[in-house]
Amino acid sequence: MTDDHDDIPMDGAIKQKLIKAKQGWARDGRLLTGTTADPARDRLPPGQRLVRDWPVFDLGAEPNVTPEKFRLDLDGMVENPLHLTLDDFMALPQTDSVSDMHCVTQWSRYDNHWRGVAARTLLELVRPKAEARHAVFHSHDGYTTNVRLDQFDQPDVFLVHLWEGKPITREHGGPVRMLIPRLYLWKSAKWLRRIELTGRDRPGFWEVRGYHNNADPWQEERYG
Ligand SMILES: Nc1nc2c(c(=O)[nH]1)N[C@H]1C(S)=C(S)[C@@H](COP(=O)(O)O)O[C@H]1N2
Ligand SMILES: [Mo]
């Protein structure tokens, strides 16, 4: 694998094997407890267990997005498309936040300290068209994932570049990744390259392979 490809195609025997395994879990309903929880009362969603470290989960192609190569496009159904360099992105208003992470593979991690640009800051800049209903996230490794616009347009959603005061490492999706803390972590795209607003829903990489489209951990929306 070379470091200087922007978009690494998701093929190769090892990755296909991993993808097949995870699709199998989705089919078998692996890890399902069949219970729900109330986020107002229960901090830990059903079937999750707490970890102290931060595990790495991706398709195995971890693109090397250098500051020079970094570009972020915000386009689709917007009045004012944006094309940002890393300097442009860093010049936007920055916010500190603290949130929990919940991964569908059952680990949760509390009190992560982040710094980045609020989704709402970007939405004010691009001005979604009236018909915009969904957001599709595109990454440098070819990964995609989707949420509704109302799930993206939340005060705790950020495009983050610092975790615990340090630049987000390459393995965790640096220089800039998504963070949508109230959905399972597969909705938080690493190595973010583009955010596209659409009128129709466009299920992403895991969503077309058996993962739940909505991904609410407290409803245990792992698969479906
Ligand atoms: N670009 C990209 N983003 C991705 C993925 C990926 O393979 N590529 N994997 C997703 C999945 S399945 C999970 S669980 C989280 C893991 O993030 P982490 O490795 O930082 O814990 O990233 C999500 N974002
Ligand atoms: Mo995942």
PDB file of all heavy atoms in Angstrom, residues 10 22 54-60 101 103-105 107 139-144 171-173 177 185-192 206 211, ligand 1:
ATOM      1  N   MET A  10     -11.471  -0.003  -1.681  1.00  0.00           N
ATOM      2  CA  MET A  10     -11.670  -0.964  -0.608  1.00  0.00           C
ATOM      3  C   MET A  10     -11.770  -2.370  -1.170  1.00  0.00           C
ATOM      4  O   MET A  10     -12.826  -2.963  -1.210  1.00  0.00           O
ATOM      5  CB  MET A  10     -12.892  -0.584   0.199  1.00  0.00           C
ATOM      6  CG  MET A  10     -12.621   0.682   0.983  1.00  0.00           C
ATOM      7  SD  MET A  10     -13.863   1.038   2.179  1.00  0.00           S
ATOM      8  CE  MET A  10     -15.181   1.511   1.138  1.00  0.00           C
ATOM      9  N   LYS A  22     -18.180  -8.996   9.511  1.00  0.00           N
ATOM     10  CA  LYS A  22     -19.068  -8.027  10.150  1.00  0.00           C
ATOM     11  C   LYS A  22     -20.480  -8.102   9.560  1.00  0.00           C
ATOM     12  O   LYS A  22     -21.461  -7.939  10.273  1.00  0.00           O
ATOM     13  CB  LYS A  22     -18.486  -6.613  10.029  1.00  0.00           C
ATOM     14  CG  LYS A  22     -17.258  -6.427  10.900  1.00  0.00           C
ATOM     15  CD  LYS A  22     -16.710  -5.030  10.850  1.00  0.00           C
ATOM     16  CE  LYS A  22     -17.264  -4.148  11.944  1.00  0.00           C
ATOM     17  NZ  LYS A  22     -16.597  -2.819  11.967  1.00  0.00           N
ATOM     18  N   TRP A  54      -8.728   3.706  23.628  1.00  0.00           N
ATOM     19  CA  TRP A  54      -9.567   4.050  22.479  1.00  0.00           C
ATOM     20  C   TRP A  54      -9.228   3.069  21.362  1.00  0.00           C
ATOM     21  O   TRP A  54      -8.214   3.225  20.693  1.00  0.00           O
ATOM     22  CB  TRP A  54      -9.332   5.502  22.048  1.00  0.00           C
ATOM     23  CG  TRP A  54     -10.218   5.952  20.920  1.00  0.00           C
ATOM     24  CD1 TRP A  54     -11.262   5.279  20.369  1.00  0.00           C
ATOM     25  CD2 TRP A  54     -10.126   7.193  20.205  1.00  0.00           C
ATOM     26  NE1 TRP A  54     -11.835   6.028  19.359  1.00  0.00           N
ATOM     27  CE2 TRP A  54     -11.157   7.207  19.236  1.00  0.00           C
ATOM     28  CE3 TRP A  54      -9.259   8.298  20.299  1.00  0.00           C
ATOM     29  CZ2 TRP A  54     -11.349   8.269  18.361  1.00  0.00           C
ATOM     30  CZ3 TRP A  54      -9.454   9.356  19.430  1.00  0.00           C
ATOM     31  CH2 TRP A  54     -10.496   9.337  18.478  1.00  0.00           C
ATOM     32  N   PRO A  55     -10.055   2.017  21.184  1.00  0.00           N
ATOM     33  CA  PRO A  55      -9.771   1.021  20.144  1.00  0.00           C
ATOM     34  C   PRO A  55      -9.828   1.634  18.739  1.00  0.00           C
ATOM     35  O   PRO A  55     -10.493   2.648  18.533  1.00  0.00           O
ATOM     36  CB  PRO A  55     -10.888  -0.016  20.318  1.00  0.00           C
ATOM     37  CG  PRO A  55     -11.483   0.249  21.667  1.00  0.00           C
ATOM     38  CD  PRO A  55     -11.285   1.701  21.923  1.00  0.00           C
ATOM     39  N   VAL A  56      -9.157   0.979  17.790  1.00  0.00           N
ATOM     40  CA  VAL A  56      -9.165   1.416  16.389  1.00  0.00           C
ATOM     41  C   VAL A  56     -10.034   0.462  15.580  1.00  0.00           C
ATOM     42  O   VAL A  56      -9.877  -0.756  15.683  1.00  0.00           O
ATOM     43  CB  VAL A  56      -7.736   1.423  15.799  1.00  0.00           C
ATOM     44  CG1 VAL A  56      -7.766   1.721  14.304  1.00  0.00           C
ATOM     45  CG2 VAL A  56      -6.861   2.432  16.521  1.00  0.00           C
ATOM     46  N   PHE A  57     -10.964   1.008  14.814  1.00  0.00           N
ATOM     47  CA  PHE A  57     -11.808   0.202  13.932  1.00  0.00           C
ATOM     48  C   PHE A  57     -11.925   0.873  12.578  1.00  0.00           C
ATOM     49  O   PHE A  57     -12.454   1.977  12.466  1.00  0.00           O
ATOM     50  CB  PHE A  57     -13.222   0.034  14.510  1.00  0.00           C
ATOM     51  CG  PHE A  57     -13.311  -1.048  15.524  1.00  0.00           C
ATOM     52  CD1 PHE A  57     -13.114  -0.758  16.860  1.00  0.00           C
ATOM     53  CD2 PHE A  57     -13.559  -2.350  15.141  1.00  0.00           C
ATOM     54  CE1 PHE A  57     -13.168  -1.765  17.809  1.00  0.00           C
ATOM     55  CE2 PHE A  57     -13.621  -3.360  16.081  1.00  0.00           C
ATOM     56  CZ  PHE A  57     -13.428  -3.056  17.420  1.00  0.00           C
ATOM     57  N   ASP A  58     -11.436   0.205  11.540  1.00  0.00           N
ATOM     58  CA  ASP A  58     -11.637   0.727  10.191  1.00  0.00           C
ATOM     59  C   ASP A  58     -11.402  -0.396   9.208  1.00  0.00           C
ATOM     60  O   ASP A  58     -11.253  -1.554   9.596  1.00  0.00           O
ATOM     61  CB  ASP A  58     -10.740   1.941   9.909  1.00  0.00           C
ATOM     62  CG  ASP A  58      -9.273   1.646  10.169  1.00  0.00           C
ATOM     63  OD1 ASP A  58      -8.777   0.617   9.660  1.00  0.00           O
ATOM     64  OD2 ASP A  58      -8.620   2.423  10.883  1.00  0.00           O
ATOM     65  N   LEU A  59     -11.370  -0.059   7.932  1.00  0.00           N
ATOM     66  CA  LEU A  59     -11.283  -1.086   6.903  1.00  0.00           C
ATOM     67  C   LEU A  59      -9.841  -1.491   6.629  1.00  0.00           C
ATOM     68  O   LEU A  59      -9.578  -2.292   5.745  1.00  0.00           O
ATOM     69  CB  LEU A  59     -11.963  -0.583   5.635  1.00  0.00           C
ATOM     70  CG  LEU A  59     -13.456  -0.313   5.871  1.00  0.00           C
ATOM     71  CD1 LEU A  59     -14.016   0.574   4.778  1.00  0.00           C
ATOM     72  CD2 LEU A  59     -14.221  -1.614   5.960  1.00  0.00           C
ATOM     73  N   GLY A  60      -8.926  -0.940   7.367  1.00  0.00           N
ATOM     74  CA  GLY A  60      -7.544  -1.367   7.266  1.00  0.00           C
ATOM     75  C   GLY A  60      -6.681  -0.485   6.388  1.00  0.00           C
ATOM     76  O   GLY A  60      -5.464  -0.516   6.486  1.00  0.00           O
ATOM     77  N   MET A 101     -18.309   8.091  23.595  1.00  0.00           N
ATOM     78  CA  MET A 101     -18.327   7.376  22.307  1.00  0.00           C
ATOM     79  C   MET A 101     -18.915   5.995  22.535  1.00  0.00           C
ATOM     80  O   MET A 101     -18.610   5.347  23.546  1.00  0.00           O
ATOM     81  CB  MET A 101     -16.902   7.149  21.787  1.00  0.00           C
ATOM     82  CG  MET A 101     -16.215   8.343  21.227  1.00  0.00           C
ATOM     83  SD  MET A 101     -14.626   7.848  20.458  1.00  0.00           S
ATOM     84  CE  MET A 101     -13.500   8.001  21.830  1.00  0.00           C
ATOM     85  N   CYS A 103     -19.378   2.371  20.376  1.00  0.00           N
ATOM     86  CA  CYS A 103     -19.126   1.625  19.141  1.00  0.00           C
ATOM     87  C   CYS A 103     -20.033   0.406  19.097  1.00  0.00           C
ATOM     88  O   CYS A 103     -20.290  -0.228  20.121  1.00  0.00           O
ATOM     89  CB  CYS A 103     -17.666   1.182  19.085  1.00  0.00           C
ATOM     90  SG  CYS A 103     -17.319   0.150  17.650  1.00  0.00           S
ATOM     91  N   VAL A 104     -20.478   0.049  17.915  1.00  0.00           N
ATOM     92  CA  VAL A 104     -21.377  -1.094  17.752  1.00  0.00           C
ATOM     93  C   VAL A 104     -20.707  -2.401  18.189  1.00  0.00           C
ATOM     94  O   VAL A 104     -21.381  -3.350  18.561  1.00  0.00           O
ATOM     95  CB  VAL A 104     -21.893  -1.174  16.300  1.00  0.00           C
ATOM     96  CG1 VAL A 104     -20.770  -1.586  15.350  1.00  0.00           C
ATOM     97  CG2 VAL A 104     -23.064  -2.118  16.167  1.00  0.00           C
ATOM     98  N   THR A 105     -19.371  -2.460  18.172  1.00  0.00           N
ATOM     99  CA  THR A 105     -18.679  -3.661  18.632  1.00  0.00           C
ATOM    100  C   THR A 105     -18.606  -3.705  20.167  1.00  0.00           C
ATOM    101  O   THR A 105     -17.786  -4.411  20.734  1.00  0.00           O
ATOM    102  CB  THR A 105     -17.269  -3.775  18.031  1.00  0.00           C
ATOM    103  OG1 THR A 105     -16.512  -2.612  18.419  1.00  0.00           O
ATOM    104  CG2 THR A 105     -17.328  -3.859  16.526  1.00  0.00           C
ATOM    105  N   TRP A 107     -17.960  -1.455  22.719  1.00  0.00           N
ATOM    106  CA  TRP A 107     -17.234  -0.649  23.697  1.00  0.00           C
ATOM    107  C   TRP A 107     -17.761   0.782  23.712  1.00  0.00           C
ATOM    108  O   TRP A 107     -18.213   1.308  22.697  1.00  0.00           O
ATOM    109  CB  TRP A 107     -15.718  -0.671  23.441  1.00  0.00           C
ATOM    110  CG  TRP A 107     -15.278  -0.149  22.095  1.00  0.00           C
ATOM    111  CD1 TRP A 107     -15.052  -0.891  20.968  1.00  0.00           C
ATOM    112  CD2 TRP A 107     -15.010   1.217  21.737  1.00  0.00           C
ATOM    113  NE1 TRP A 107     -14.677  -0.077  19.933  1.00  0.00           N
ATOM    114  CE2 TRP A 107     -14.631   1.216  20.378  1.00  0.00           C
ATOM    115  CE3 TRP A 107     -15.039   2.436  22.423  1.00  0.00           C
ATOM    116  CZ2 TRP A 107     -14.291   2.382  19.694  1.00  0.00           C
ATOM    117  CZ3 TRP A 107     -14.703   3.592  21.739  1.00  0.00           C
ATOM    118  CH2 TRP A 107     -14.329   3.561  20.400  1.00  0.00           C
ATOM    119  N   SER A 139     -15.034   9.802   2.825  1.00  0.00           N
ATOM    120  CA  SER A 139     -13.703   9.799   3.430  1.00  0.00           C
ATOM    121  C   SER A 139     -12.624   9.456   2.419  1.00  0.00           C
ATOM    122  O   SER A 139     -12.912   8.910   1.352  1.00  0.00           O
ATOM    123  CB  SER A 139     -13.661   8.787   4.573  1.00  0.00           C
ATOM    124  OG  SER A 139     -14.571   9.141   5.578  1.00  0.00           O
ATOM    125  N   HIS A 140     -11.393   9.733   2.791  1.00  0.00           N
ATOM    126  CA  HIS A 140     -10.257   9.482   1.911  1.00  0.00           C
ATOM    127  C   HIS A 140     -10.018   8.006   1.626  1.00  0.00           C
ATOM    128  O   HIS A 140      -9.344   7.673   0.665  1.00  0.00           O
ATOM    129  CB  HIS A 140      -8.987  10.088   2.515  1.00  0.00           C
ATOM    130  CG  HIS A 140      -8.865  11.551   2.287  1.00  0.00           C
ATOM    131  ND1 HIS A 140      -8.256  12.089   1.187  1.00  0.00           N
ATOM    132  CD2 HIS A 140      -9.296  12.600   3.021  1.00  0.00           C
ATOM    133  CE1 HIS A 140      -8.300  13.410   1.251  1.00  0.00           C
ATOM    134  NE2 HIS A 140      -8.926  13.747   2.355  1.00  0.00           N
ATOM    135  N   ASP A 141     -10.521   7.111   2.471  1.00  0.00           N
ATOM    136  CA  ASP A 141     -10.335   5.673   2.220  1.00  0.00           C
ATOM    137  C   ASP A 141     -11.478   5.094   1.401  1.00  0.00           C
ATOM    138  O   ASP A 141     -11.555   3.884   1.217  1.00  0.00           O
ATOM    139  CB  ASP A 141     -10.180   4.892   3.535  1.00  0.00           C
ATOM    140  CG  ASP A 141     -11.380   5.054   4.457  1.00  0.00           C
ATOM    141  OD1 ASP A 141     -12.175   5.980   4.247  1.00  0.00           O
ATOM    142  OD2 ASP A 141     -11.517   4.245   5.397  1.00  0.00           O
ATOM    143  N   GLY A 142     -12.398   5.940   0.931  1.00  0.00           N
ATOM    144  CA  GLY A 142     -13.518   5.458   0.140  1.00  0.00           C
ATOM    145  C   GLY A 142     -14.759   5.162   0.972  1.00  0.00           C
ATOM    146  O   GLY A 142     -15.824   4.876   0.435  1.00  0.00           O
ATOM    147  N   TYR A 143     -14.615   5.234   2.301  1.00  0.00           N
ATOM    148  CA  TYR A 143     -15.740   4.967   3.209  1.00  0.00           C
ATOM    149  C   TYR A 143     -16.793   6.065   3.055  1.00  0.00           C
ATOM    150  O   TYR A 143     -16.468   7.215   2.826  1.00  0.00           O
ATOM    151  CB  TYR A 143     -15.205   4.978   4.638  1.00  0.00           C
ATOM    152  CG  TYR A 143     -16.187   4.605   5.730  1.00  0.00           C
ATOM    153  CD1 TYR A 143     -16.474   3.278   5.996  1.00  0.00           C
ATOM    154  CD2 TYR A 143     -16.777   5.584   6.522  1.00  0.00           C
ATOM    155  CE1 TYR A 143     -17.348   2.931   7.020  1.00  0.00           C
ATOM    156  CE2 TYR A 143     -17.641   5.244   7.556  1.00  0.00           C
ATOM    157  CZ  TYR A 143     -17.920   3.917   7.791  1.00  0.00           C
ATOM    158  OH  TYR A 143     -18.772   3.567   8.807  1.00  0.00           O
ATOM    159  N   THR A 144     -18.064   5.674   3.201  1.00  0.00           N
ATOM    160  CA  THR A 144     -19.140   6.659   3.273  1.00  0.00           C
ATOM    161  C   THR A 144     -20.081   6.271   4.411  1.00  0.00           C
ATOM    162  O   THR A 144     -20.185   5.098   4.780  1.00  0.00           O
ATOM    163  CB  THR A 144     -19.984   6.708   1.976  1.00  0.00           C
ATOM    164  OG1 THR A 144     -20.553   5.420   1.735  1.00  0.00           O
ATOM    165  CG2 THR A 144     -19.143   7.134   0.768  1.00  0.00           C
ATOM    166  N   GLU A 171      -4.442   6.856  12.752  1.00  0.00           N
ATOM    167  CA  GLU A 171      -5.278   5.657  12.910  1.00  0.00           C
ATOM    168  C   GLU A 171      -6.688   5.998  13.364  1.00  0.00           C
ATOM    169  O   GLU A 171      -7.628   5.253  13.098  1.00  0.00           O
ATOM    170  CB  GLU A 171      -4.618   4.655  13.863  1.00  0.00           C
ATOM    171  CG  GLU A 171      -4.390   5.233  15.242  1.00  0.00           C
ATOM    172  CD  GLU A 171      -3.718   4.278  16.214  1.00  0.00           C
ATOM    173  OE1 GLU A 171      -3.371   3.152  15.822  1.00  0.00           O
ATOM    174  OE2 GLU A 171      -3.552   4.687  17.377  1.00  0.00           O
ATOM    175  N   HIS A 172      -6.853   7.127  14.033  1.00  0.00           N
ATOM    176  CA  HIS A 172      -8.190   7.538  14.471  1.00  0.00           C
ATOM    177  C   HIS A 172      -8.843   8.541  13.514  1.00  0.00           C
ATOM    178  O   HIS A 172      -9.865   9.138  13.849  1.00  0.00           O
ATOM    179  CB  HIS A 172      -8.152   8.095  15.884  1.00  0.00           C
ATOM    180  CG  HIS A 172      -8.005   7.042  16.937  1.00  0.00           C
ATOM    181  ND1 HIS A 172      -8.925   6.026  17.098  1.00  0.00           N
ATOM    182  CD2 HIS A 172      -7.037   6.830  17.866  1.00  0.00           C
ATOM    183  CE1 HIS A 172      -8.536   5.241  18.098  1.00  0.00           C
ATOM    184  NE2 HIS A 172      -7.389   5.691  18.566  1.00  0.00           N
ATOM    185  N   GLY A 173      -8.227   8.724  12.337  1.00  0.00           N
ATOM    186  CA  GLY A 173      -8.915   9.507  11.305  1.00  0.00           C
ATOM    187  C   GLY A 173      -8.444  10.924  11.131  1.00  0.00           C
ATOM    188  O   GLY A 173      -9.129  11.723  10.486  1.00  0.00           O
ATOM    189  N   ARG A 177     -11.838  14.400  11.607  1.00  0.00           N
ATOM    190  CA  ARG A 177     -12.867  13.379  11.511  1.00  0.00           C
ATOM    191  C   ARG A 177     -14.193  13.947  12.029  1.00  0.00           C
ATOM    192  O   ARG A 177     -14.224  14.983  12.675  1.00  0.00           O
ATOM    193  CB  ARG A 177     -12.503  12.125  12.294  1.00  0.00           C
ATOM    194  CG  ARG A 177     -12.614  12.312  13.806  1.00  0.00           C
ATOM    195  CD  ARG A 177     -12.440  11.012  14.567  1.00  0.00           C
ATOM    196  NE  ARG A 177     -13.529  10.079  14.343  1.00  0.00           N
ATOM    197  CZ  ARG A 177     -13.470   8.780  14.601  1.00  0.00           C
ATOM    198  NH1 ARG A 177     -12.364   8.276  15.123  1.00  0.00           N
ATOM    199  NH2 ARG A 177     -14.503   7.998  14.375  1.00  0.00           N
ATOM    200  N   LEU A 185     -20.567   4.761  16.580  1.00  0.00           N
ATOM    201  CA  LEU A 185     -19.386   5.438  16.042  1.00  0.00           C
ATOM    202  C   LEU A 185     -19.138   5.196  14.549  1.00  0.00           C
ATOM    203  O   LEU A 185     -18.375   5.927  13.925  1.00  0.00           O
ATOM    204  CB  LEU A 185     -18.162   5.014  16.855  1.00  0.00           C
ATOM    205  CG  LEU A 185     -16.945   5.931  16.835  1.00  0.00           C
ATOM    206  CD1 LEU A 185     -17.274   7.324  17.353  1.00  0.00           C
ATOM    207  CD2 LEU A 185     -15.808   5.322  17.646  1.00  0.00           C
ATOM    208  N   TRP A 186     -19.777   4.173  13.951  1.00  0.00           N
ATOM    209  CA  TRP A 186     -19.539   4.002  12.510  1.00  0.00           C
ATOM    210  C   TRP A 186     -20.114   5.180  11.719  1.00  0.00           C
ATOM    211  O   TRP A 186     -19.753   5.398  10.577  1.00  0.00           O
ATOM    212  CB  TRP A 186     -20.053   2.656  11.997  1.00  0.00           C
ATOM    213  CG  TRP A 186     -21.497   2.593  11.597  1.00  0.00           C
ATOM    214  CD1 TRP A 186     -22.029   3.072  10.422  1.00  0.00           C
ATOM    215  CD2 TRP A 186     -22.580   2.009  12.326  1.00  0.00           C
ATOM    216  NE1 TRP A 186     -23.379   2.823  10.398  1.00  0.00           N
ATOM    217  CE2 TRP A 186     -23.749   2.170  11.549  1.00  0.00           C
ATOM    218  CE3 TRP A 186     -22.680   1.351  13.551  1.00  0.00           C
ATOM    219  CZ2 TRP A 186     -24.996   1.708  11.969  1.00  0.00           C
ATOM    220  CZ3 TRP A 186     -23.916   0.897  13.967  1.00  0.00           C
ATOM    221  CH2 TRP A 186     -25.050   1.074  13.185  1.00  0.00           C
ATOM    222  N   LYS A 187     -21.023   5.961  12.352  1.00  0.00           N
ATOM    223  CA  LYS A 187     -21.568   7.163  11.699  1.00  0.00           C
ATOM    224  C   LYS A 187     -20.578   8.327  11.716  1.00  0.00           C
ATOM    225  O   LYS A 187     -20.834   9.347  11.085  1.00  0.00           O
ATOM    226  CB  LYS A 187     -22.870   7.588  12.375  1.00  0.00           C
ATOM    227  CG  LYS A 187     -24.032   6.605  12.229  1.00  0.00           C
ATOM    228  CD  LYS A 187     -24.617   6.620  10.827  1.00  0.00           C
ATOM    229  CE  LYS A 187     -25.902   5.815  10.731  1.00  0.00           C
ATOM    230  NZ  LYS A 187     -26.419   5.768   9.338  1.00  0.00           N
ATOM    231  N   SER A 188     -19.489   8.192  12.478  1.00  0.00           N
ATOM    232  CA  SER A 188     -18.504   9.274  12.595  1.00  0.00           C
ATOM    233  C   SER A 188     -17.330   8.983  11.667  1.00  0.00           C
ATOM    234  O   SER A 188     -16.396   8.255  12.020  1.00  0.00           O
ATOM    235  CB  SER A 188     -18.019   9.402  14.040  1.00  0.00           C
ATOM    236  OG  SER A 188     -19.075   9.804  14.891  1.00  0.00           O
ATOM    237  N   ALA A 189     -17.378   9.566  10.483  1.00  0.00           N
ATOM    238  CA  ALA A 189     -16.384   9.264   9.451  1.00  0.00           C
ATOM    239  C   ALA A 189     -14.992   9.767   9.839  1.00  0.00           C
ATOM    240  O   ALA A 189     -14.832  10.903  10.280  1.00  0.00           O
ATOM    241  CB  ALA A 189     -16.811   9.885   8.128  1.00  0.00           C
ATOM    242  N   LYS A 190     -14.013   8.882   9.655  1.00  0.00           N
ATOM    243  CA  LYS A 190     -12.614   9.252   9.831  1.00  0.00           C
ATOM    244  C   LYS A 190     -12.066   9.783   8.491  1.00  0.00           C
ATOM    245  O   LYS A 190     -12.654   9.575   7.456  1.00  0.00           O
ATOM    246  CB  LYS A 190     -11.803   8.020  10.276  1.00  0.00           C
ATOM    247  CG  LYS A 190     -12.415   7.405  11.507  1.00  0.00           C
ATOM    248  CD  LYS A 190     -11.783   6.217  12.187  1.00  0.00           C
ATOM    249  CE  LYS A 190     -10.637   5.469  11.725  1.00  0.00           C
ATOM    250  NZ  LYS A 190     -10.254   4.396  12.715  1.00  0.00           N
ATOM    251  N   TRP A 191     -10.923  10.486   8.527  1.00  0.00           N
ATOM    252  CA  TRP A 191     -10.282  11.040   7.303  1.00  0.00           C
ATOM    253  C   TRP A 191     -11.311  11.742   6.420  1.00  0.00           C
ATOM    254  O   TRP A 191     -11.443  11.459   5.221  1.00  0.00           O
ATOM    255  CB  TRP A 191      -9.566   9.938   6.512  1.00  0.00           C
ATOM    256  CG  TRP A 191      -8.695   9.089   7.363  1.00  0.00           C
ATOM    257  CD1 TRP A 191      -7.506   9.477   7.943  1.00  0.00           C
ATOM    258  CD2 TRP A 191      -8.912   7.738   7.765  1.00  0.00           C
ATOM    259  NE1 TRP A 191      -7.001   8.436   8.670  1.00  0.00           N
ATOM    260  CE2 TRP A 191      -7.828   7.353   8.574  1.00  0.00           C
ATOM    261  CE3 TRP A 191      -9.929   6.813   7.513  1.00  0.00           C
ATOM    262  CZ2 TRP A 191      -7.727   6.092   9.139  1.00  0.00           C
ATOM    263  CZ3 TRP A 191      -9.837   5.553   8.071  1.00  0.00           C
ATOM    264  CH2 TRP A 191      -8.752   5.203   8.868  1.00  0.00           C
ATOM    265  N   LEU A 192     -12.041  12.653   7.044  1.00  0.00           N
ATOM    266  CA  LEU A 192     -13.149  13.315   6.356  1.00  0.00           C
ATOM    267  C   LEU A 192     -12.660  14.087   5.128  1.00  0.00           C
ATOM    268  O   LEU A 192     -11.667  14.818   5.190  1.00  0.00           O
ATOM    269  CB  LEU A 192     -13.840  14.265   7.343  1.00  0.00           C
ATOM    270  CG  LEU A 192     -15.126  14.914   6.875  1.00  0.00           C
ATOM    271  CD1 LEU A 192     -16.199  13.858   6.607  1.00  0.00           C
ATOM    272  CD2 LEU A 192     -15.620  15.904   7.925  1.00  0.00           C
ATOM    273  N   TRP A 206     -21.478   0.705   5.590  1.00  0.00           N
ATOM    274  CA  TRP A 206     -22.014  -0.324   6.492  1.00  0.00           C
ATOM    275  C   TRP A 206     -23.533  -0.376   6.431  1.00  0.00           C
ATOM    276  O   TRP A 206     -24.126  -1.441   6.641  1.00  0.00           O
ATOM    277  CB  TRP A 206     -21.542  -0.103   7.936  1.00  0.00           C
ATOM    278  CG  TRP A 206     -20.105  -0.483   8.142  1.00  0.00           C
ATOM    279  CD1 TRP A 206     -19.091   0.335   8.554  1.00  0.00           C
ATOM    280  CD2 TRP A 206     -19.515  -1.766   7.912  1.00  0.00           C
ATOM    281  NE1 TRP A 206     -17.905  -0.355   8.604  1.00  0.00           N
ATOM    282  CE2 TRP A 206     -18.137  -1.647   8.206  1.00  0.00           C
ATOM    283  CE3 TRP A 206     -19.996  -3.007   7.482  1.00  0.00           C
ATOM    284  CZ2 TRP A 206     -17.246  -2.721   8.100  1.00  0.00           C
ATOM    285  CZ3 TRP A 206     -19.107  -4.075   7.371  1.00  0.00           C
ATOM    286  CH2 TRP A 206     -17.757  -3.915   7.679  1.00  0.00           C
ATOM    287  N   TYR A 211     -26.034  -2.898   8.564  1.00  0.00           N
ATOM    288  CA  TYR A 211     -26.084  -2.071   9.763  1.00  0.00           C
ATOM    289  C   TYR A 211     -27.307  -1.163   9.706  1.00  0.00           C
ATOM    290  O   TYR A 211     -27.813  -0.825   8.648  1.00  0.00           O
ATOM    291  CB  TYR A 211     -24.787  -1.251   9.887  1.00  0.00           C
ATOM    292  CG  TYR A 211     -23.643  -2.073  10.442  1.00  0.00           C
ATOM    293  CD1 TYR A 211     -23.297  -3.285   9.864  1.00  0.00           C
ATOM    294  CD2 TYR A 211     -22.927  -1.650  11.544  1.00  0.00           C
ATOM    295  CE1 TYR A 211     -22.266  -4.056  10.378  1.00  0.00           C
ATOM    296  CE2 TYR A 211     -21.890  -2.407  12.059  1.00  0.00           C
ATOM    297  CZ  TYR A 211     -21.558  -3.611  11.477  1.00  0.00           C
ATOM    298  OH  TYR A 211     -20.547  -4.355  11.983  1.00  0.00           O
TER     299      TYR A 211
HETATM  300  N1  LIG B   1     -13.207   6.743   6.858  1.00  0.00           N
HETATM  301  C1  LIG B   1     -13.618   5.782   7.698  1.00  0.00           C
HETATM  302  N2  LIG B   1     -14.308   6.159   8.769  1.00  0.00           N
HETATM  303  C2  LIG B   1     -14.743   5.225   9.642  1.00  0.00           C
HETATM  304  C3  LIG B   1     -14.484   3.859   9.430  1.00  0.00           C
HETATM  305  C4  LIG B   1     -13.728   3.490   8.290  1.00  0.00           C
HETATM  306  O1  LIG B   1     -13.437   2.309   8.016  1.00  0.00           O
HETATM  307  N3  LIG B   1     -13.311   4.487   7.441  1.00  0.00           N
HETATM  308  N4  LIG B   1     -14.935   2.925  10.336  1.00  0.00           N
HETATM  309  C5  LIG B   1     -16.072   3.326  11.181  1.00  0.00           C
HETATM  310  C6  LIG B   1     -16.275   2.399  12.267  1.00  0.00           C
HETATM  311  S1  LIG B   1     -17.018   0.913  11.849  1.00  0.00           S
HETATM  312  C7  LIG B   1     -15.978   2.715  13.568  1.00  0.00           C
HETATM  313  S2  LIG B   1     -16.400   1.682  14.838  1.00  0.00           S
HETATM  314  C8  LIG B   1     -15.265   3.978  13.909  1.00  0.00           C
HETATM  315  C9  LIG B   1     -14.020   3.667  14.712  1.00  0.00           C
HETATM  316  O2  LIG B   1     -13.297   4.828  15.017  1.00  0.00           O
HETATM  317  P1  LIG B   1     -11.924   4.642  15.789  1.00  0.00           P
HETATM  318  O3  LIG B   1     -11.043   3.715  14.992  1.00  0.00           O
HETATM  319  O4  LIG B   1     -11.331   6.012  15.904  1.00  0.00           O
HETATM  320  O5  LIG B   1     -12.269   4.053  17.123  1.00  0.00           O
HETATM  321  O6  LIG B   1     -14.903   4.713  12.747  1.00  0.00           O
HETATM  322  C10 LIG B   1     -15.883   4.741  11.750  1.00  0.00           C
HETATM  323  N5  LIG B   1     -15.430   5.654  10.724  1.00  0.00           N
END
